[in-house]
Amino acid sequence: MLTVLAGGTGSVKLIRGLLGATHEDLTIISNVGDNFWLHGLYICPDVDIVTYALASMLDRERGWGVEGDKFNTLSQIEKLGGETWFKLGDRDLATHILRTQLMKQGRKLSEVTREICNRLGVKQRVIPATDDSVETWINTPRGKVHLQEYWVKRKAQDEVLGVTYVGAESAKASPEVTDAIMSANAILLCPANPVTSIGPILAVKQIRLAISDTNAERIAVSPIIGKAPISGPAAKMMSGLGIEVSPIGVARLYSGLVDIFVADKSDDGLGEALRRINVKPVFTDIMMPTAARELELARFVLRQLNLIGQVGGH
Ligand code: GDP
Ligand code: FO1
């Protein structure tokens, strides 16, 4: 079994590659830090991005939402004077409506996610990191705002003074999460925003402990090449927190939780510095602009874990 820690848009590129590269039993532990309430609905962007990708219905170009979705409801919400900064498509809205309804009946997020995955024919397990509320809030000169307000509504224009995972202190790992970590053959930390995607997962103490204690081999793929992320606000967040924006900065954040660190071949001068952080550095092309590159990087990762050629690995 391969257990994967995932955020959203960057993570699903590699997850899609893994789907094509292996028959390994995949379990995805999904970030919940960017979940929020809007229009009375509970929106779980990263859980949905992963679910839609596994159901082959993710809009590949945007990296979020349902492919070919229409925005009629959003247009009408605009006409009626509602908030439209977060683009919820018509079919995407069905997920949020159903999820909110089930949660209001007292069902846990992990149960509701399982139900939605089943309905969409997803065979892999998608488990939200926690059923408790953990929200990523960004401290800016204008005050503290939820990640979605910082990123989508205000388009990351504010300086980042700090990041807080509200609720993480008391949050418990979802049932099955610790088991998925302890009993896995390997753990993969996807190329994802280390502060807002992997950070909130690791902020749940039981999860961090399990990853630190497991006998599974642990591998991470860098979301940073040189001194810049491939997309998104990771650089602004890392530098705002005083973290070096480089593969080294990411590897330090994952210190004690990762055995192998995959960085871009253009960063192969960092081998010695990575070894000093106690990770085994490996270098390859880590950009995934096409489905073929997703597959190739997934195969590379599986080879590092000796999972290709085993249990159905192609
Ligand atoms: P988010 O929840 O939408 O921010 O998505 P993630 O956290 O999963 O992904 C964002 C991160 O993935 C960013 O830091 C990007 O630099 C990284 N990323 C995006 N595309 C790629 C890619 O093709 N290769 C690698 N290695 N990282 C990528
Ligand atoms: N990201 C945007 O930049 N703008 C949007 O309007 C937007 C809508 C959206 C709707 C559903 C969904 O599942 C994700 C959506 N995202 C949107 C992506 C999302 O905000 C981010 O990728 C993650 O939350 C960051 O971790």
Side-chain angles (χ1 to χ4, degrees), residues 72-240:
N72 292 318
T73 311
L74 198 77
S75 301
Q76 191 64 17
I77 289 175
E78 183 167 31
K79 227 178 241 175
L80 296 173
E83 291 193 75
T84 55
W85 56 270
F86 200 77
K87 308 286 179 236
L88 296 170
D90 297 337
R91 290 170 68 196
D92 189 25
L93 270 164
T95 305
H96 313 312
I97 291 169
L98 189 82
R99 173 166 47 225
T100 307
Q101 186 190 8
L102 292 173
M103 288 183 69
K104 288 203 163 157
Q105 289 167 5
R107 308 271 296 276
K108 293 186 162 68
L109 181 61
S110 54
E111 293 167 17
V112 174
T113 303
R114 196 182 315 131
E115 179 104 13
I116 292 171
C117 282
N118 285 342
R119 293 283 171 154
L120 293 176
V122 172
K123 300 275 183 291
Q124 300 74 18
R125 292 192 296 169
V126 181
I127 319 176
T130 173
D131 283 325
D132 299 324
S133 169
V134 173
E135 288 186 358
T136 304
W137 282 67
I138 314 296
N139 191 6
T140 76
R142 296 163 51 94
K144 287 190 175 141
V145 291
H146 187 281
L147 170 65
Q148 298 297 355
E149 190 167 343
Y150 167 83
W151 172 232
V152 181
K153 190 175 188 182
R154 296 201 37 85
K155 305 191 187 315
Q157 60 186 293
D158 305 303
E159 194 189 338
V160 175
L161 302 174
V163 174
T164 317
Y165 306 119
V166 179
E169 270 291 301
S170 55
K172 300 267 173 293
S174 289
E176 300 178 335
V177 162
T178 36
D179 184 52
I181 294 168
M182 298 312 286
S183 63
N185 297 328
I187 312 281
L188 164 65
L189 277 62
C190 277
N193 187 321
V195 177
T196 60
S197 290
I198 304 296
I201 303 178
L202 298 178
V204 178
K205 269 183 240 120
Q206 289 174 332
I207 300 184
R208 176 178 279 273
L209 264 180
I211 296 176
S212 143
D213 286 353
T214 182
N215 289 324
E217 184 126 48
R218 305 158 305 175
I219 191 166
V221 177
S222 178
I224 308 270
I225 299 180
K227 292 187 175 341
I230 285 103
S231 60
K236 225 171 155 178
M237 297 187 161
M238 290 172 76
S239 55

